[in-house]
Amino acid sequence: MKKLIVLLLVAGVLFSCFAGGSKEAAQDNAVKAAVKAAETMSWDELLQKAREEIGDNELVIYGTTSRVNEKSFTEATGIKIRAEQPDDTQIYEKMTAEVGNGLYGADVFVTTDSFNLMNLAFANGYVENYVPGEYKDLIADSDENPLVALYYARLFIYNNGKGSLTRAITNVWQLTEPEFKGIEMKSPLLEKCSMNFLITLTSPEWQAKLAQAYKSRYGKDWVNDGTYPNISYEWIHKYIQNCTFINKDSTIASDIAKGSKGATGFFVYSKFRSEDYSGMTVAAFDGVEGFAGMLYPIYSVVASNAKYPYAACLYINYLLSNNGFLKVFGKDMGAYSTNTSVAISDGAKAAGDREISFWLENCVIEDSAYIPTVYAQAFTKIAQWCAGK
Amino acid sequence: MPEIVLKNVTKKWGGFTAVENLNLEIEDGAFITLLGPSGCGKTTTLRMIAGLETPTSGEITIGGTVVFSSQKGINISAAKRDIGFLFQNYALWPHMTVYQNIAFGLETLKWKKPDIEKRVAQMLETLQITQFAQRYPSELSGGQQQRVAIARTLAPSPKVLFMDEPLSNLDAKLRGEMRTELKRLHADTGSTFVYVTHDQLEAMTMATKICLMKEGVLQQYDPPLTVYNHPSNRFVADFVGNPTMNFIPAKAVKLSDNTARLEMLGEKFTFTSENSFMLKDGDISVGIRPEHLPISPKGSVPGQLTGTAYSTLPAGMETTVKIKIGGTILSSVMFGSLDYKVDSEICFTVQSDRILIFDVDGRCATSGTVTK
Amino acid sequence: MEKNKFFNRVLAYFTKPSNVIVVAFLIILLACIVYPLYSVLSLSLTVGQMDSLMYNSLFGLHLKKGSFSLLNISMLMFGKYSAEYSASFFWSPLWNSIRMSVYASAIAVLIGGVVAWLITRTDIRYKKFISSVFVFPYIMPSWTLALVWKNVFANSQVGTGVTGMLESLTGICVPSWFVYGIFPCSIVMGIHYAPFAYILIGGILRNMDANLEEAATILKADRWRIIRKVTLPIVMPALISTVLLVFSSTMASYAVPVFVGSPGNFYVMSTMLRALYSGSYSGQSYVMTLVLVLIGIGMLTLNQALIGKRKSFTTVTGKSGQVSYVKLKGNKLVSVIMVVVLFFMAIFPIFSFALESLCEVQGDYSTLTLKFWLSKEDIGGFQVAVGKGILLNSVVWKAMLGSILLSLVVALVVGTSGFLIGYGVSKKRGSRMATLLSNVAFFPYLIPSMAFGSIFLAVSTKLLFLRGTFLLLVIVASVKYLPFASRSGTSAMMQLSGEIEEAAIIVGAPWITRMTKILFPIQKSSFISGYLLPFVSCIRELSLFVLLASSGTLITTLLSYFDERNVVQMSNGINLLIIMVVLLVNFTTNKLTGASIDKGIGGN
């Protein structure tokens, strides 16, 4: 027994070693200043500054999308990059562990999920927002704080039975009906964007749109009988009941492509291309009343303890440039720059994609201002429905 | 009833022949030992009879029932051969108590519980292990485990009992006791015992018949004394008896049908047998048991040979004396305690009508007397 | 004087190698395990930053980040938010996890045990083939088996109506529960871990004195009664170890339940753990982790209770040379069935990886090409940069070598530790220290990989010299995989009677010689599997390392990169590559030492 006590003491001492090393997150004013200075610089000025700063070292990017690994930035600037692709949760976890402890890990974060970005990253001062001065006028104000580098589209897409099926979805309420049982989508429990999409739907704006669609589908006004807080929740609940959760976009795309006529999925538009897409129809082109999918923002921010803040700004600047967008994201459909002067690529156009203006009209856009205001209630309720299916 | 017959039984493992063309008949109620050095195939033979090993070819019959026949494709499982088997390492089940170990076989036979209890109690008592009934095997000494194993084997009263070197893990004293017990048990149960051992003394003292094997081949199958006195070849003669037989190289010249002249130990002898025998002139070996080389005071008897004391090994009841004569060392056994000084002169005679002549191939040609 | 006496006693205590081992490992393990456990406990009793936002908003509170609260527990388990919430997030997944783990353990033990028995005790044919191929499902990541399951059984009546292999060959449509839900989850996990049962049980069976079974045969017990009354109780420790490991692994498994479970609305604790963790309820996810650990402790306790002390399992007196094989009725049929089943379990997935990696167009077998293996040019046509063909791709090779190096180091550390722990525990068998050590060594297994990685990420921000280093990966993986080796080491050592070492002590052999020349060689195959199993697990591990290793340092991060980006040719090819490396290592080990993952049971 004595030996045990001694051992526990030893273990205790070791703990205190672990626990003792905690440091306050140091706000790096130099980064703040650099970001501020960069905002007014032109591409060439910034490029020069960045090159001076980084020399032969690597710019480190944590990106939720693999595109950040694209080497074209290096070709354009001569600055080397190292990109890592943890998922959302991991990005925020690494951010907290690293920036929160004053440890350098990355210079740029390219990430999704407005809730964590606002309440964790910005609230704790882990990141700095940078908007390139030269594009400031070309980016909508709502996309500037925090900066959305681009939007991705996730859409309702169905198998058209080799062209034999037309106008399958005309009203978004159809998706809650038994005919559409088995819509495949990523579980909102495991994927933030899908959750944020549903949460955004609960906003007054979307309540109104859903009510309108409801009336045109069922010929009567939606009446709150007390089952749901509002119309959006009814749609969400019934829709979730209709869903089958498959947790990989490419699997969903292939399930729809190889499935039977009418099989419907909700997946990122860019995966459309991986399959034989002549057999699939994007519901949005049918003209769906209500909405036909969602646009989710890819944010791009500078780490507040970045080693190379100018290079980091340069990278973000590059993502928003015409050349940068087309090289990094624009090869396929489903990605849309927030820089209104940047059009989608010819390839995407040829494959049937349309400009962002079309999608802004037809999709739910993740609302970084609205989401944090209702997050706890909406998330918990929707999560409970998903889990309790 | 349980007469066991082996016909042309052969067991091969790949290219290695463990038992070759073995023919054996074991009478009901016999106590047979399978004797031989390790690796001679005796355990394999036992396991084949028991049904734990499948012969490559041949036929085995137990009590008139063919239990194995390679020709007829019969192979009755060990469970149905109505036998008992005592393993060398006892094979007690470590997760069962002594009681459970012994009761297992009876439960398998669907005995009624009171009957099982009675029988187990009886076995425990017979083997004097009653106090250990609730212990696990790991909590017992080797001797106690041995007894439990015997009790377990005997509990269902098998008509045939196979034992695979059951005493080899015991100390000498315990081994002696167990020998007596086993022989007694044989008498009490009237079962047929087949016993594997590499200890010739065990075989000699316990068996009604010894089956001596070497490298998978049967050497001799006879009652112990026959094996001792009339070994079929030099291997058997050498293996049986302690101290071992003296083998003296000699040159023989056949004189008549039943006599020959022998030249050995630097002297000339005449060998006479009661029967006529065949022998090629030339190198042979003469086998003389140690007890047939009595030592006598110098000049007290005719025909004495003279050597020197190489070493004396008194054991109390008898003494083994190693005598050096020429380049050869002979063993002689005498009753009582003797002691000879090393290198002192010793006179002895060759005195027996059971002197053995082995030809160059080791075959025993005949037995008889030698005179100087 | 008194002091001197105490000092001498301590000195005497530590002159015994077994004491040094037990004490040293206890200290190391406590440091590596107690901290994570302590973190889990404290994190489940405090609110994190996101938690506080959620709780404050939901319940109108003013909790600060890091303050003590039972809300995590009450909301998750006791209906603080709603009874439905607790049921959906906790109680129903808990029940599902337990059911799935029980089924998976039963399936693993049944399949593994039967195959072990067939190989060691019967004259079944193709032993060598069966024995070496049977371990494949363990080498492959579990989700690949789930993928095969889906590809075989999906049909026009299920989901979106993708036609699977079974339907296209026979027209048979299995019902939905057969494709998605608890049924496929349990079967796939069971098959994945069956080799594990096979290895553990087979090892005991092979070392077990065959006379024990023969003694029962002689006493007229039929085959079934022998198995029930003799064989099973004797292999019970291995069986329980297997159940313990399979149960815990299945409890913590994530990929398979997500892949074939959630489409059937089948949720388990690990799915919900991840959902909560990424869904701003990290405190609740730690409560979940804690529950997983507690269940594991329960299993451990049960294990202790089931294996009594008195029934000594020191039964191995050496190798019993003469094992007579049971003659199988319908041997040919059984053998052929085994081979066919194995084909689907083991060969087919590998074959399909190979085929997929050769398709220019995914799934179109008329477009076979070698370019994903051999292309000297960068491969285009994908949304991401792919690089050269696998065999010429420096990124792939760098990651592969990184993984191999890590796995080798981990295997060496873990295997040796397992051997030493086994020695220490068996020498001091029954003592409180030994029991504690063997239990503590099992603990890391109970903490899900993801939580484990996350805790060590936190540790590395405090111990900066470890941060981002290879050493950190080695430490994490070593601690995580220790249970494999310490289990096999302990059971192997337990089977050796003390006399074997004592004999060597008598002739004056020093400790190190006794270990390397006597004890290790006797139970060589068990110990070597203590090296190989961690190697296999480590080389295909992802979730443990994903937070700790930068991408591209390990092959699995690269695999998941290509997999998520839908470059299936590359991901399948890399998967094949990993399996090949494991097989190669196994083969080399086998040639060099005679031991192998499957221990060559019956095959040699």
Side-chain angles (χ1 to χ4, degrees):
Chain A
M1 201 59 217
K2 265 186 206 156
K3 291 167 212 156
L4 268 179
I5 294 169
V6 172
L7 278 175
L8 287 176
L9 282 177
V10 172
V13 170
L14 281 167
F15 276 166
S16 29
C17 296
F18 280 120
S22 169
K23 275 179 232 145
E24 270 306 302
Q27 278 290 342
D28 202 326
N29 287 320
V31 171
K32 220 172 210 160
V35 169
K36 191 138 188 70
E39 286 195 337
T40 57
M41 287 181 192
S42 71
W43 167 261
D44 292 331
E45 286 166 347
L46 191 55
L47 177 62
Q48 199 192 346
K49 198 88 179 138
R51 276 187 183 150
E52 276 169 25
E53 173 189 61
I54 198 164
D56 205 29
N57 296 309
E58 283 176 334
L59 180 74
V60 182
I61 301 146
Y62 289 171
T64 188
T65 155
S66 53
R67 313 289 176 92
V68 296
N69 209 6
E70 182 59 49
K71 295 286 184 281
S72 66
F73 176 71
T74 309
E75 286 159 20
T77 63
I79 292 171
K80 283 189 268 180
I81 58 166
R82 178 163 67 84
E84 304 209 355
Q85 295 100 35
D87 66 26
D88 273 341
T89 312
Q90 290 158 358
I91 286 186
Y92 289 111
E93 185 163 7
K94 285 191 101 157
M95 187 193 286
T96 311
E98 292 173 350
V99 188
N101 285 292
L103 303 168
Y104 167 71
D107 299 287
V108 185
F109 298 109
V110 178
T111 181
T112 60
D113 187 16
S114 33
F115 182 67
N116 267 299
L117 184 72
M118 301 311 289
N119 289 299
L120 187 88
F122 278 108
N124 289 315
Y126 295 160
V127 294
E128 294 294 332
N129 193 42
Y130 164 74
V131 183
E134 52 195 303
Y135 303 126
K136 199 155 177 33
D137 296 340
L138 297 168
I139 300 170
D141 289 350
S142 57
D143 290 336
E144 281 183 358
N145 205 7
L147 179 78
V148 179
L150 71 154
Y151 283 103
Y152 266 163
R154 174 164 281 159
L155 303 171
F156 293 106
I157 293 170
Y158 58 85
N159 185 307
N160 60 24
K162 299 201 166 65
S164 65
L165 189 71
T166 46
R167 286 189 73 80
I169 306 168
T170 53
N171 188 305
V172 76
W173 283 94
Q174 281 176 276
L175 298 173
T176 64
E177 293 166 8
E179 192 201 335
F180 279 86
K181 184 118 191 113
I183 297 172
E184 290 193 351
M185 81 176 284
K186 274 183 155 183
S187 170
L189 282 177
L190 297 167
E191 218 237 358
K192 298 286 181 67
C193 302
S194 304
M195 178 57 90
N196 289 338
F197 152 64
L198 296 178
I199 294 175
T200 304
L201 271 183
T202 65
S203 70
E205 180 198 346
W206 283 104
Q207 285 179 38
K209 287 186 183 168
L210 276 169
Q212 206 180 350
Y214 184 90
K215 190 163 183 194
S216 78
R217 176 83 186 155
Y218 303 112
K220 56 180 183 190
D221 284 321
W222 183 79
V223 184
N224 190 346
D225 61 1
T227 318
Y228 300 102
N230 59 48
I231 185 169
S232 299
Y233 281 104
E234 175 165 344
W235 186 88
I236 292 168
H237 189 202
K238 289 185 169 162
Y239 170 70
I240 288 171
Q241 291 301 318
N242 253 3
C243 282
T244 297
F245 295 142
I246 304 278
N247 291 295
K248 219 166 114 184
D249 277 313
S250 51
T251 309
I252 301 175
S254 121
D255 280 355
I256 302 306
K258 293 175 186 143
S260 47
K261 186 163 112 179
T264 308
F266 185 57
F267 59 92
V268 288
Y269 193 17
S270 59
K271 293 282 186 263
F272 192 72
R273 190 80 183 270
S274 325
E275 301 294 334
D276 173 18
Y277 55 93
S278 63
M280 292 193 285
T281 300
V282 175
F285 302 145
D286 292 343
V288 182
E289 191 162 1
F291 52 87
M294 66 147 158
L295 288 186
Y296 63 94
I298 307 289
Y299 301 104
S300 187
V301 289
V302 181
S304 65
N305 66 346
K307 219 182 222 173
Y308 312 112
Y310 287 107
C313 292
L314 185 72
Y315 183 81
I316 294 171
N317 190 314
Y318 177 72
L319 292 184
L320 281 150
S321 69
N322 189 49
N323 187 32
F325 173 79
L326 290 180
K327 283 266 170 64
V328 181
F329 297 103
K331 284 179 196 156
D332 284 302
M333 58 266 270
Y336 314 97
S337 178
T338 50
N339 179 345
T340 47
S341 71
V342 176
I344 59 170
S345 71
D346 294 340
K349 215 171 280 172
D353 199 358
R354 305 193 189 177
E355 292 297 343
I356 189 168
S357 51
F358 173 80
W359 299 110
L360 286 172
E361 265 172 44
N362 283 286
C363 288
V364 178
I365 298 121
E366 181 171 325
D367 188 338
S368 62
Y370 172 71
I371 287 174
T373 63
V374 292
Y375 191 80
Q377 277 84 1
F379 172 87
T380 312
K381 195 175 266 302
I382 294 168
Q384 178 182 307
W385 284 337
C386 293
K389 246 164 76 80
Chain B
M1 185 273 283
E3 185 194 36
I4 302 170
V5 182
L6 279 71
K7 271 189 211 152
N8 304 325
V9 172
T10 298
K11 175 74 188 178
K12 285 181 181 166
W13 272 297
F16 171 71
T17 306
V19 175
E20 198 171 348
N21 209 22
L22 180 66
N23 287 288
L24 204 63
E25 273 185 43
I26 299 170
E27 296 94 31
D28 183 18
F31 193 137
I32 302 298
T33 55
L34 296 172
L35 179 66
S38 36
C40 71
K42 55 192 190 298
T43 297
T44 307
T45 305
L46 188 73
R47 289 170 58 86
M48 286 193 293
I49 306 173
L52 298 174
E53 207 77 69
T54 310
T56 311
S57 63
E59 186 176 285
I60 300 171
T61 316
I62 299 178
T65 315
V66 178
V67 292
F68 177 83
S69 169
S70 57
Q71 237 169 5
K72 296 175 195 154
I74 297 172
N75 188 12
I76 292 175
S77 88
K80 298 198 178 116
R81 293 192 187 185
D82 215 355
I83 50 160
F85 200 111
L86 198 55
F87 293 90
Q88 182 174 10
N89 58 5
Y90 319 141
L92 294 177
W93 298 303
H95 58 289
M96 296 186 197
T97 59
V98 167
Y99 182 93
Q100 289 166 331
N101 262 284
I102 300 172
F104 182 89
L106 306 175
E107 285 165 4
T108 312
L109 293 174
K110 306 231 159 51
W111 281 32
K112 291 204 179 69
K113 214 171 169 216
D115 295 343
I116 294 177
E117 279 169 15
K118 215 167 116 193
R119 177 65 176 164
V120 174
Q122 189 193 344
M123 294 314 302
L124 288 168
E125 200 177 334
T126 311
L127 289 147
Q128 298 164 18
I129 44 174
T130 309
Q131 68 271 38
F132 305 130
Q134 293 312 316
R135 292 219 195 152
Y136 285 98
S138 60
E139 298 162 339
L140 299 176
S141 74
Q144 289 158 354
Q145 289 185 13
Q146 160 78 5
R147 284 159 192 273
V148 176
I150 293 175
R152 183 180 70 182
T153 312
L154 291 180
S157 314
K159 282 275 160 288
V160 189
L161 185 57
F162 296 126
M163 288 173 273
D164 185 6
E165 308 206 20
L167 306 184
S168 61
N169 289 348
L170 301 181
D171 62 61
K173 185 164 175 288
L174 207 52
R175 208 181 311 163
E177 281 172 23
M178 289 311 298
R179 267 183 218 148
T180 318
E181 298 284 339
L182 283 177
K183 200 154 184 179
R184 178 78 211 177
L185 236 112
H186 178 240
D188 288 351
T189 56
S191 308
T192 308
F193 278 30
V194 183
Y195 188 104
V196 162
T197 182
H198 62 263
D199 181 343
Q200 57 91 24
L201 185 64
E202 233 164 71
M204 289 297 295
T205 50
M206 292 162 75
T208 53
K209 250 180 159 181
I210 291 176
C211 166
L212 213 158
M213 299 174 71
K214 180 195 174 193
E215 287 162 7
V217 180
L218 177 66
Q219 303 294 314
Q220 192 164 6
Y221 180 50
D222 276 314
L225 287 179
T226 312
V227 174
Y228 189 79
N229 292 326
H230 301 286
S232 60
N233 57 38
R234 190 175 157 158
F235 172 79
V236 175
D238 190 26
F239 197 81
V240 177
N242 186 30
T244 51
M245 182 178 268
N246 297 299
F247 293 99
I248 305 161
K251 283 207 187 307
V253 179
K254 193 86 182 289
L255 297 178
S256 70
D257 253 7
N258 62 343
T259 57
R261 174 173 300 281
L262 302 179
E263 233 183 282
M264 60 177 179
L265 303 171
E267 309 249 3
K268 286 186 174 136
F269 297 87
T270 310
F271 175 83
T272 316
S273 171
E274 283 177 9
N275 310 312
S276 58
F277 61 95
M278 305 265 289
L279 189 68
K280 266 194 201 151
D281 291 354
D283 288 331
I284 57 149
S285 148
V286 178
I288 309 170
R289 295 258 172 225
E291 63 268 31
H292 299 153
L293 292 174
I295 296 169
S296 44
K298 191 172 186 178
S300 64
V301 284
Q304 275 183 331
L305 295 163
T306 308
T308 53
Y310 184 75
S311 164
T312 313
L313 309 164
M317 191 170 72
E318 85 282 325
T319 304
T320 306
V321 184
K322 299 279 183 185
I323 305 164
K324 189 171 183 183
I325 176 164
T328 320
I329 292 171
L330 302 174
S331 307
S332 162
V333 174
M334 298 290 291
F335 264 109
S337 291
L338 299 172
D339 204 359
Y340 293 96
K341 258 208 179 118
V342 171
D343 291 339
S344 60
E345 195 183 71
I346 289 181
C347 296
F348 63 97
T349 45
V350 180
Q351 226 171 61
S352 171
D353 55 353
R354 279 172 292 176
I355 306 301
L356 304 171
I357 302 290
F358 298 97
D359 62 20
V360 272
D361 302 324
R363 192 182 55 86
C364 183
T366 183
S367 65
T369 54
V370 291
T371 44
K372 197 173 165 184
Chain C
M1 190 65 205
E2 266 300 298
K3 207 173 171 183
N4 214 349
K5 194 171 156 195
F6 174 77
F7 182 75
N8 281 340
R9 234 192 242 167
V10 171
L11 206 65
Y13 185 78
F14 284 111
T15 46
K16 273 196 183 165
S18 56
N19 290 335
V20 178
I21 288 168
V22 170
V23 171
F25 271 103
L26 259 181
I27 292 175
I28 295 170
L29 283 172
L30 283 176
C32 292
I33 291 159
V34 175
Y35 179 76
L37 274 181
Y38 160 83
S39 306
V40 170
L41 187 66
S42 78
L43 286 168
S44 58
L45 291 174
T46 50
V47 288
Q49 184 166 19
M50 291 294 117
D51 297 323
S52 66
L53 287 176
M54 301 297 273
Y55 292 145
N56 291 347
S57 166
L58 278 186
F59 306 117
L61 302 170
H62 301 283
L63 290 171
K64 284 214 179 73
K65 165 190 171 190
S67 57
F68 172 84
S69 166
L70 291 174
L71 269 178
N72 293 328
I73 295 171
S74 61
M75 179 162 166
L76 179 65
M77 295 166 73
F78 303 114
K80 170 82 180 164
Y81 173 76
S82 73
E84 198 194 335
Y85 178 93
S86 297
S88 321
F89 275 95
F90 184 76
W91 297 108
S92 141
L94 173 68
W95 172 232
N96 286 343
S97 276
I98 291 176
R99 277 194 303 157
M100 177 176 79
S101 304
V102 167
Y103 298 154
S105 312
I107 291 165
V109 165
L110 198 72
I111 298 180
V114 166
V115 172
W117 184 80
L118 285 173
I119 295 286
T120 55
R121 291 290 186 270
T122 72
D123 60 348
I124 190 168
R125 298 170 192 202
Y126 321 119
K127 272 187 189 176
K128 203 158 190 168
F129 173 81
I130 293 172
S131 181
S132 46
V133 166
F134 191 70
V135 296
F136 284 13
Y138 184 69
I139 294 171
M140 291 181 277
S142 55
W143 60 264
T144 58
L145 290 173
L147 184 67
V148 171
W149 184 275
K150 190 183 156 182
N151 287 345
V152 170
F153 292 111
N155 61 65
S156 50
Q157 305 303 310
V158 175
T160 60
V162 176
T163 306
M165 206 171 299
L166 184 72
E167 190 186 3
S168 49
L169 289 179
T170 65
I172 296 171
C173 291
V174 295
S176 179
W177 57 264
F178 202 98
V179 187
Y180 295 127
I182 187 172
F183 181 76
C185 285
S186 309
I187 299 233
V188 165
M189 294 310 289
I191 290 175
H192 180 61
Y193 286 110
F196 211 80
Y198 168 69
I199 290 165
L200 286 175
I201 297 170
I204 300 267
L205 275 181
R206 202 170 50 121
N207 282 337
M208 180 180 143
D209 187 349
N211 286 347
L212 291 173
E213 284 166 315
E214 289 171 356
T217 309
I218 296 287
L219 289 170
K220 300 188 174 36
D222 56 40
R223 198 21 78 184
W224 173 234
R225 186 169 151 83
I226 294 173
I227 290 177
R228 209 159 38 91
K229 289 281 184 177
V230 178
T231 317
L232 271 182
I234 288 173
V235 299
M236 197 47 90
L239 222 110
I240 291 175
S241 272
T242 310
V243 169
L244 195 62
L245 286 168
V246 176
F247 190 93
S248 312
S249 310
T250 311
M251 273 297 223
S253 69
Y254 173 76
V256 171
V258 158
F259 198 79
V260 284
S262 43
N265 298 328
F266 174 75
Y267 295 107
V268 294
M269 291 188 78
S270 55
T271 344
M272 288 314 179
L273 195 154
R274 199 166 287 208
L276 290 167
Y277 187 75
S278 58
S280 310
Y281 282 125
S282 65
Q284 292 181 31
S285 78
Y286 285 111
V287 174
M288 209 86 147
T289 309
L290 201 63
V291 172
L292 281 175
V293 173
L294 288 176
I295 291 172
I297 294 175
M299 291 293 293
L300 268 180
T301 319
L302 200 65
N303 179 13
Q304 301 271 309
L306 286 176
I307 305 177
K309 265 189 203 144
R310 285 181 75 199
K311 306 177 193 178
S312 165
F313 288 93
T314 8
T315 49
V316 179
T317 49
K319 299 247 161 83
S320 63
Q322 294 169 315
V323 179
S324 58
Y325 291 131
V326 175
K327 278 220 179 295
L328 276 187
K329 277 181 194 139
N331 188 338
K332 202 167 180 180
L333 187 70
V334 175
S335 312
V336 168
I337 289 176
M338 275 296 297
V339 170
V340 170
V341 169
L342 271 181
F343 175 80
F344 272 94
M345 270 171 61
I347 309 277
F348 177 73
I350 294 180
F351 183 70
S352 67
F353 294 146
L355 206 57
E356 294 286 345
S357 73
L358 295 175
C359 288
E360 173 92 52
V361 176
Q362 189 191 340
D364 185 347
Y365 302 124
S366 62
T367 58
L368 295 185
T369 170
L370 276 173
K371 78 172 184 184
F372 293 99
W373 288 95
L374 295 172
S375 170
K376 286 185 187 123
E377 309 290 317
D378 284 359
I379 299 167
F382 290 94
Q383 296 159 352
V384 291
V386 174
K388 298 190 173 101
I390 292 171
L391 294 180
L392 303 170
N393 192 319
S394 61
V395 179
V396 171
W397 278 111
K398 199 178 142 228
M400 194 71 234
L401 290 177
S403 278
I404 292 175
L405 184 65
L406 175 68
S407 307
L408 279 180
V409 173
V410 168
L412 278 178
V413 172
V414 171
T416 310
S417 305
F419 171 68
L420 291 176
I421 288 176
Y423 173 77
V425 168
S426 74
K427 277 279 138 181
K428 307 197 48 73
R429 138 180 12 183
S431 80
R432 211 175 295 152
M433 291 268 265
T435 317
L436 184 68
L437 177 61
S438 82
N439 286 345
V440 165
F442 196 77
F443 255 87
Y445 211 79
L446 309 175
I447 305 175
S449 290
M450 200 183 57
F452 209 69
S454 151
I455 288 161
F456 271 87
L457 175 73
V459 171
S460 73
T461 60
K462 304 283 194 284
L463 299 177
L464 287 179
F465 66 94
L466 281 178
R467 187 166 164 255
T469 60
F470 186 71
L471 181 66
L472 179 67
L473 298 184
V474 171
I475 293 175
V476 173
S478 299
V479 174
K480 179 74 185 164
Y481 298 128
L482 194 57
F484 289 116
S486 90
R487 283 277 134 170
S488 71
T490 307
S491 66
M493 282 291 186
M494 284 289 194
Q495 284 172 25
L496 287 178
S497 74
E499 288 133 27
I500 289 174
E501 193 195 352
E502 282 154 15
I505 297 180
I506 300 294
V507 298
W511 181 76
I512 194 87
T513 313
R514 300 201 301 268
M515 293 298 110
T516 53
K517 295 274 158 77
I518 312 273
L519 297 185
F520 193 89
I522 294 180
Q523 292 287 57
K524 186 175 67 179
S525 51
S526 289
F527 294 128
I528 289 186
S529 81
Y531 284 91
L532 283 172
L533 286 179
F535 181 87
V536 174
S537 313
C538 188
I539 205 164
R540 60 167 169 67
E541 174 71 64
L542 175 64
S543 48
L544 187 62
F545 300 131
V546 77
L547 281 171
L548 304 172
S550 45
S551 51
T553 46
L554 298 176
I555 193 73
T556 42
T557 56
L558 205 61
L559 172 67
S560 93
Y561 172 85
F562 283 123
D563 185 49
E564 275 163 27
R565 275 80 201 175
N566 213 26
V567 191
V568 285
Q569 294 91 337
M570 291 297 275
S571 64
N572 280 314
I574 290 174
N575 217 337
L576 188 66
L577 197 64
I578 296 176
I579 294 170
M580 289 304 148
V581 166
V582 173
L583 291 181
L584 189 70
V585 168
N586 187 27
F587 177 78
T588 316
T589 316
N590 193 354
K591 286 290 152 217
L592 290 180
T593 67
S596 63
I597 297 180
D598 60 292
K599 298 183 186 175
I601 302 173
N604 297 344

